[in-house]
Amino acid sequence: MRSFDFIDTALLLGLFVLLAGCYGLFYTIGELRQRRHWINIGYVCFFFQAVITLLIVMCAPLGIGWQLLIIASCIACFKIPPMAFSYLKLIHG
Amino acid sequence: MYVQDPAFWRAGAISSTVVMSIVLVFLTLDSLSAITTGGRNVPPYTVINQAIDYKFDATLNISMPVIGGEQLLFGRKYSATEAEALMDIGKLVIQSRACMDYHTFFGNGSYYAPDLTKAWLDPVWRQMWIPMTQADSKEEAIVRFLMNPEKYPNWGRQMPNLKITREEAVATTAYLKWMSAINANGFPSGFKTNEGK
Amino acid sequence: MYKSEELALKYFAAAMVLFGLMVVFGLLSATHYVQRGFLLNKLDFSIAKIVHIDTMILWLLLGFIGAIYWFLPGELNRETVGIKLAAIMFYVLCTAIVIVALVFIFVQYGGANQFSLWFINQGRKYVEAPRWAAIGIVLVLAVFCYNVIATTIKAKKVTGIMGVLIVDLVPLFALYFIAFPAITNMSVDLYWWWWLVHLWVEGTWEILIGCIMAFSLMQLLGTERRIVEMWLYIEVALVLGTGILGLGHHYFWIGTPSYWLAIGGLFSALEPLPLLGMVVHAVYDAGTLRMKTTNKPAFYWIMAEAFGNFLGGGVFGFMMTLPQINLFSHGTQWTVSHGHFAFWGAYACGILSVIYLALQKAHQVAEVNGVRWRWSFALLNIGMIGMVGALLISGIAQAFYERAIGGSTLQAFIEGQSNPWFMQGMTARLAFGMIFAAGYVILIYDLLAFGKQRISQATVLRPA
């Protein structure tokens, strides 16, 4: 990796996870309050996470295996909040 | 529903822990064989009798240690037993003086002082420290520095005097030479030596 | 009050004292970076740092042990077995800590011999304590394990949480023996050292704090046992499922085979995923309660735990975990920023939450609130976030100038350390460290002044 690339890539990776957290936060708030607009804010956060995923895959000098890992993580991050929330509702009865 | 059954998740916890632990054990056995002295990544201690360099390998795309021909250390050649004894003392110096709480070794330790992974190969010894210490060799320059770091002007973050004896300094220098020959998958990247110049 | 709970309060007090020492020596370490020649040959950086990181490890450990002694009688409906012995060991431990600290500060170094390792300084990061003290820690941990296991056997009751805790104590105890050997081969030494450090702080400690949080949630939120136990099992599965081979992210550059780059990178990249689940869980709990609770500080510190763990471990960790990045970030202040944030979020916040819970019950306060805890909460977290932000800037500058451009030679190190971004980051770190220290002072004031209002028995709030 070239000298400057690693900083860009690192910051994008950090933003990737941060946006996943924001999506999880707003999605859960939206479900709890039964307010669509919070959930939509969550989806906007995920949208930006997806954009960052695309940027990383297209621009960061990572091998194909690592690119697939980032994509798989992005998909997992999309699924985790609704799955976790549904499960919490189920077990709390 | 099975996802509501704690037993399901308990089984998951046990199985994931057990499987990962078993994999770790197998990888440990292989890794230990690679990093034991004489293994595929870590040379025997007698490498201190040889010239060491660190060069970029275009095929592997990383920098790799290069072990060359005979290069005496402190004007002599060390047998396997002597080299091991020297390494034992060198490592005891590193531990007793808590070097890991100033410096890093393979990037592990503290970040107040430079990384020592390839310190033996640092061009600064020939460029600056040999003239400053008026030593006749790189190893002698390192020894003189270690014994009295306060005598030699430093950039601003002074190394304290840790009362290192000559015997300890010789052993530490030898240890640094051996350590520089370890294959660390390209860490540090881009380290330019001036060996052979 | 059970004797076990009394002992727990002593452990918490000792933990808070060590927390304070950690802060003082942290400020000293930070000052070394911004002031040339600071205490040179009197209290060098290494000694300040050793006391800083060792008191960190110890105060967290004391917090864990205290938390378990606190919750054990309630969980098993009986006094802890061997509690008298445990009480003696507490004083043995405190005495040992004082002696070791005094030797670190006033003796500092010995010669390159076994005497130094046995009585002065072992010189391996986090486990610098001389061997005689390490034996003391082994004995304290052994008695602690005996207390937990024997009480469970006597109570004839193995709850899910106790089962996980007991199984976790076995590797926790066994791994500490890695603090003893002095292995000449640095690669082999570091290999095993990381088993101890990683499998403690990213393995057994995660499970331990998980158990403690399970107890806390049952008490603080009235959460059903069935629910916390399921989450505990899920956490064990995910955290150890990713964390055991996530150990590989420490094996990129120590001489181990190159397959660790792929294995370590893959598994540690997965580590943030369970933390995302934890964030959802935390928000769910906060939301169902509508942020109402009889112990506001305990509740806020648990929330800080979930978010801090995610940010410090997940976000900051993910930034630097891929080997392609780590090649440059490794061994720089970038690591320091991640380490501070992760330890704070994953462990410190959780222990502070338990201390507030314990004090509520000990002083029989119906509702814990006020102004002081809010100030300490704000200052500690702002101080921490400021420090890690400043360290991130310094770390990125160092990674760029020293590692990427300079190739990590001595000259490159000097240039990195002299870089204006680096230096300003280190100055800002010290400033935020002082804010953190102010937060600590207010925290101690708040804890000492606890229970000025003795109203009535604490009640558990049901979710709205």
Side-chain angles (χ1 to χ4, degrees), chain B residues 30 88 91 109 122 157 175, chain C residues 125 184 189 259 330 410 417:
Chain B
D30 182 68
D88 287 343
K91 181 59 160 45
D122 202 302
R157 200 174 287 168
Y175 196 91
Chain C
K125 195 173 159 196
T184 297
D189 183 3
Y259 53 65
H330 184 51
L410 171 65
Q417 301 289 298

Side-chain angles (χ1 to χ4, degrees), chain C residues 218-223 294 458-462:
Chain C
M218 287 197 296
Q219 189 176 315
L220 180 65
L221 308 182
T223 315
T294 57
T459 53
V460 171
L461 194 75
R462 300 265 174 258

Side-chain angles (χ1 to χ4, degrees), chain A:
Chain A
M1 196 175 274
R2 275 192 8 240
S3 303
F4 197 67
D5 288 341
F6 82 90
I7 298 179
D8 295 342
T9 310
L11 292 173
L12 285 175
L13 289 169
L15 259 179
F16 174 96
V17 180
L18 187 63
L19 286 165
C22 292
Y23 161 54
L25 171 71
F26 291 118
Y27 177 91
T28 311
I29 290 174
E31 285 285 3
L32 282 169
R33 293 185 174 185
Q34 290 292 293
R35 290 285 177 89
R36 194 73 222 169
H37 80 263
W38 285 112
I39 297 178
N40 288 339
I41 292 172
Y43 284 141
V44 167
C45 293
F46 177 75
F47 169 75
F48 284 116
Q49 184 186 358
V51 166
I52 282 171
T53 304
L54 216 58
L55 268 173
I56 292 171
V57 167
M58 282 166 42
C59 304
L62 294 173
I64 182 74
W66 299 104
Q67 291 173 350
L68 290 172
L69 172 65
I70 302 293
I71 294 169
S73 293
C74 184
I75 296 169
C77 287
F78 182 66
K79 293 280 184 206
I80 285 172
M83 270 173 52
F85 187 84
S86 305
Y87 186 67
L88 281 160
K89 265 183 72 175
L90 184 66
I91 60 175
H92 278 86

